[in-house]
Every structure is written in structure tokens, then in C-alpha cells.
Amino acid sequence: MLRLAIQKSGRLSEDSLKLIRECGISFITSSLKLKTESTNFPLEILYLRDDDIPGYVADGVADIGIVGENVLVEEGMQQLAVEQLGFSKCRLSLAVPKGDQYEDISDLQGKNIATSYPKLLQAYLEDKGVQANIHTISGSVEIAPSIGLADAICDIVSSGSTLISNGLREVERVFKSQAVLIANGGLNDEKQEILNKLLFRIHAVQRAQKAKYILLNAPNDKIAEISELLPGAKSPSILPLAEEGWSSLHSVVNEDDFWEIIEKLKAAGAQGILVVPIEKMIV
């Protein structure tokens, strides 16, 4: 059985569990349990503090883990990373009281900065040629300026609403982060095979999230032109309609190119365009 460590609560935990469920893996969750087993896949889930996950995976207590990239880099364990997962995106940012004057990073020269990520912050300041006094604290970093502990903070930001509610404004982006899958480098063959099966499912879910299934009707004399606009996995499927001279084309388009392609399809004569979300996509 493969042991997966995830954050025990919070947005990253919710997104991680959602991904596992989308992979067709069933399990029962409870706020009172710190571990659970899947009922249909050889996977055990451990609920841990996010800061502890890289260490547990490195030590082999857990085989794999899902953790914020910011935590992984702060702990100096980038070698554990298998791949980025594309969710729980956030940023590590510097923020100052909204009433303070701030022109650029040099304004923080010699100032006190409170953070839970001293290594990432130190690397950023050194790169910018700024020397500041870093105060390492855990939790409630946003309150530090208002109680006189620091002149600025460096903390994780998603929407920025927490900064605003605490009278702060974001001034510098230090590090971009997202959820990343990590793994112990010494997995035996059996566990590696289970991990490969899990990765196969994850990739199928990820591909589906980035694509849309599209169906449309087109005059037969426009099929060649429209087909050029529909790359899909290989080429569009073409089915004759009951109305003579018309066909239905089915294909897959990338989410990023979707609206641009739709406009070109309409200009080429496509009608009755139907767009459907994809649950899984196997290539």
C-alpha cells in the first residue's frame, strides 16, 4: 500500500482530496481521524502539518506527499519533487502598511520584516542587494506591523483579502507557488508501480481540465477548412447528418485557445456549436 501525506486542513487539503476523488479513488474522511485507507485502490492517506510533509516523505514514513511548493523550497527538499499539480496556486509576497511610502525594494533596507519563510525571503533580498532584519514567526504574520514587531511582512497571498483587512498592501512578489507531488527516492518496485498507476490517473484528470469537447454542424464543402481549425487529439471525427450536404464534427480543443478557435469556426461556417466538459482524457 502506498502512503500519501497531505495537509490535514485548509485549501490545499481540500484541493488534494478533490484530485484523489477525481482519480476514481474512494475513501472515508473524518475530522477525528489522522489517516484513512482507500476502499478501491492501494492507498493510505495521512493527514499531517504541511511543514512536516517533506520530512516525513524524505524519511520514508510517507511514500509520497502533496505539499505547497513554497514549503518544499523553504525546507530545501526540491529533490523530492515529482511534478507540479496546477492547483492551490498562490504567491509569497512582501507587504507594508498601506499608509507607508514605498517606491521599490530598496525602501526595505535595514527594516524589520516578519515571515514564516526566512530562507525564501533571504534569498530574494540577497538577489536584490537588500539587507534587512528577518524575524521568523509562525502564524498571524499579518499582525506584526500593527503591534510594532516589524515594518513589513512576507507571507503567502492568494486573493489578497487578508492583507487588505489588516491594513497592508502587497508591494513585491517573492515566489510563485502551487501544489506539487513529492516522492521518496527509495520506493520499492511494488510501490513504484502503484505510484505510476496513480500518476496515470492524475494525468488523465489534468488533461481533461485543460480541454473541452466540441461538437458542431458544418456544410460538407466547409469540412476541410473547419478541420484545419480543430487539431484535437489527432483529427476531428466526422459524421453525416440526416440533412443532405451537412455533417457533424467532433473534436477536442485546448481551454487556452477555446474562444479564439470558436470565433474562427463561426467565421468558417460552423453552426450549432456545442461545448462539453471532459471528465477524464486518456491519450
Side-chain angles (χ1 to χ4, degrees), residues 163-182:
L163 293 181
I164 295 173
S165 63
N166 284 278
L168 301 170
R169 63 187 176 99
E170 186 178 1
V171 293
E172 301 282 344
R173 296 188 178 184
V174 173
F175 184 81
K176 289 184 178 180
S177 178
Q178 62 178 286
V180 62
L181 180 70
I182 61 176

Side-chain angles (χ1 to χ4, degrees), residues 78-94:
Q78 298 93 313
Q79 74 278 4
L80 297 177
V82 175
E83 63 181 83
Q84 295 176 322
L85 295 174
F87 60 81
S88 294
K89 293 183 178 180
C90 60
R91 58 195 181 273
L92 182 66
S93 294
L94 281 160

Side-chain angles (χ1 to χ4, degrees), residues 169-282:
R169 63 187 176 99
E170 186 178 1
V171 293
E172 301 282 344
R173 296 188 178 184
V174 173
F175 184 81
K176 289 184 178 180
S177 178
Q178 62 178 286
V180 62
L181 180 70
I182 61 176
N184 181 277
L187 297 182
N188 60 36
D189 291 343
E190 185 177 3
K191 289 190 174 184
Q192 184 62 52
E193 183 179 354
I194 298 172
L195 175 57
N196 291 341
K197 290 180 179 179
L198 177 60
L199 285 170
F200 177 80
R201 298 189 184 195
I202 289 175
H203 294 156
V205 171
Q206 289 176 326
R207 281 191 292 266
Q209 291 171 343
K210 297 176 182 177
K212 298 290 185 183
Y213 188 74
I214 185 169
L215 304 86
L216 59 88
N217 298 330
N220 287 344
D221 60 356
K222 294 289 186 178
I223 288 178
E225 180 181 353
I226 290 176
S227 295
E228 288 294 322
L229 301 172
L230 292 172
K234 288 188 178 179
S235 61
S237 301
I238 303 173
L239 303 173
L241 293 179
E243 183 176 347
E244 188 174 347
W246 284 77
S247 295
S248 175
L249 279 70
H250 299 203
S251 189
V252 174
V253 297
N254 189 287
E255 177 74 33
D256 295 336
D257 305 324
F258 174 72
W259 288 110
E260 183 180 350
I261 290 176
I262 290 295
E263 292 173 1
K264 292 179 179 179
L265 289 172
K266 291 193 66 174
Q271 298 181 13
I273 301 173
L274 179 64
V275 181
V276 182
I278 301 173
E279 184 175 327
K280 307 287 188 301
M281 186 172 174
I282 313 297

Side-chain angles (χ1 to χ4, degrees), residues 54-68:
Y56 275 102
V57 172
D59 293 340
V61 176
D63 301 307
I64 61 174
I66 297 177
V67 67

